[in-house]
Amino acid sequence: METFKRVAGAVGIALAILIIYGLIEPQLLDVEEEEAVIPGLPEEWEGEEIAVFGDFQTGMWLDNKSTMEEAVTEIIERDPAAVLMLGDYIYRPNDQSDQEIEQALEVLRPIGEADIPIYAVLGNHDFGLQNKDGEPALDVAERMRTALEAIGVEVLHNEAIPFSGTGPVLPGVEPGLFIAGIGSDWANADVPAEALAEIPADAPRIVMMHNPNSFEELPAGTAPFAVAGHTHGGQVRLESAPQWSWVALTSNEPVHVDGWIDGYGAAGNELYVNRGIGMSTVPIRINARPELTLFTLTSGE
């Protein structure tokens, strides 16, 4: 009996330490630096940086505003050519006030004020969806889109934006790079064919989406560099074993947790999954630190 008490006490102490650390880790931002190969990338884009983050989940209890602010400060200091945001900006946008939406936008506003272009897609939470079987609230998504556009964010919904150099394409100028944004998978609004329709077959492009599962629908060779979020890196997982994560074990669909996903998607397509900033259900991260990713673009030649 005495041995049992000691073991139970030790387990209780270990669990308490783990929970305390889980509450601390969301404040430990990882700034990951990666190289992204885009065949045919114009010379003026060679070596340019693109910043990627998302999954803010603003409005969740004990949300992660301070880490989001740290990521924004890092972005402004690095001054990338553009910022890509991967969705889920508000935790429960269908029942949260304009004040809570403004809280998220207030953090993002300095990026636009620094004249850094921002492009975004919407995630499942932006459609008011807590699970895949819910009914998407289109009015909620439109409210989120309008709020983002009010601070200068270009929201892409199954469409592509052409670029020339490091700014928007000008009339009569051949676009040097396209950014395509795919709609929300859980809202049954992801149509990759529409997102790619206006991009010339051999034109260099970046493809962004919220849910990594949308990546599987992209035809071979159409997404040599793609980014997604949604998974929070598993949020709670065993170190070096992303398949043993809370998100993967509680999901009824395939989960591609973080980093470059090997052997996934059609030939010639490459996907990077960002761990995001916020959390779902509980405000804890373990072995899944919040992430800002900075990609250096290269043609690979």
Side-chain angles (χ1 to χ4, degrees), residues 101-124:
I101 290 179
E102 177 58 29
Q103 179 182 332
L105 301 187
E106 180 186 356
V107 178
L108 294 172
R109 196 170 278 113
I111 300 176
E113 292 172 350
D115 292 326
I116 302 172
I118 313 174
Y119 302 90
V121 292
L122 299 183
N124 53 284

Side-chain angles (χ1 to χ4, degrees), residues 149-300:
E149 290 179 343
I151 64 166
V153 177
E154 183 80 39
V155 180
L156 303 178
H157 182 73
N158 298 317
E159 58 190 314
I161 296 290
F163 277 76
S164 177
T166 56
V169 68
L170 300 174
V173 177
E174 187 71 20
L177 179 66
F178 287 82
I179 296 181
I182 297 174
S184 169
D185 173 62
W186 281 17
N188 294 316
D190 57 334
V191 189
E194 287 186 12
L196 301 174
E198 296 184 1
I199 302 178
D202 297 327
R205 80 283 308 267
I206 300 169
V207 180
M208 58 188 296
M209 66 208 76
H210 176 67
N211 193 319
N213 291 337
S214 297
F215 180 75
E216 197 168 19
E217 301 175 35
L218 290 161
T222 62
F225 171 46
V227 290
H230 182 62
T231 66
H232 306 174
Q235 194 161 315
V236 176
R237 74 186 197 190
L238 296 179
E239 189 172 3
S240 302
Q243 67 274 19
W244 293 100
S245 71
W246 173 62
V247 170
L249 295 175
T250 57
S251 176
N252 57 4
E253 62 180 352
V255 174
H256 306 283
V257 176
D258 71 339
W260 295 106
I261 310 300
D262 295 330
Y264 178 50
N269 295 342
E270 297 289 341
L271 176 68
Y272 187 96
V273 178
N274 175 280
R275 294 191 297 273
I277 301 295
M279 298 147 287
S280 288
T281 309
V282 292
I284 286 176
R285 282 179 177 258
I286 296 175
N287 292 321
R289 288 171 60 170
E291 177 181 359
L292 166 66
T293 320
L294 288 159
F295 292 95
T296 299
L297 306 184
T298 178
S299 65

Side-chain angles (χ1 to χ4, degrees), residues 72-155:
V72 167
T73 298
E74 181 71 21
I75 288 170
I76 293 171
E77 289 179 354
R78 296 289 289 258
D79 191 24
V83 176
L84 308 184
M85 301 198 306
L86 302 175
D88 281 3
Y89 309 111
I90 303 294
Y91 192 60
R92 290 190 180 91
N94 49 339
D95 60 16
Q96 288 175 330
S97 68
D98 291 338
Q99 183 178 355
E100 288 166 314
I101 290 179
E102 177 58 29
Q103 179 182 332
L105 301 187
E106 180 186 356
V107 178
L108 294 172
R109 196 170 278 113
I111 300 176
E113 292 172 350
D115 292 326
I116 302 172
I118 313 174
Y119 302 90
V121 292
L122 299 183
N124 53 284
H125 281 269
D126 304 314
F127 282 85
L129 292 171
Q130 303 287 324
N131 58 70
K132 190 174 183 180
D133 299 324
E135 187 69 24
L138 301 183
D139 59 324
V140 166
E142 185 58 31
R143 180 185 180 209
M144 193 73 254
R145 171 196 282 270
T146 300
L148 288 168
E149 290 179 343
I151 64 166
V153 177
E154 183 80 39
V155 180

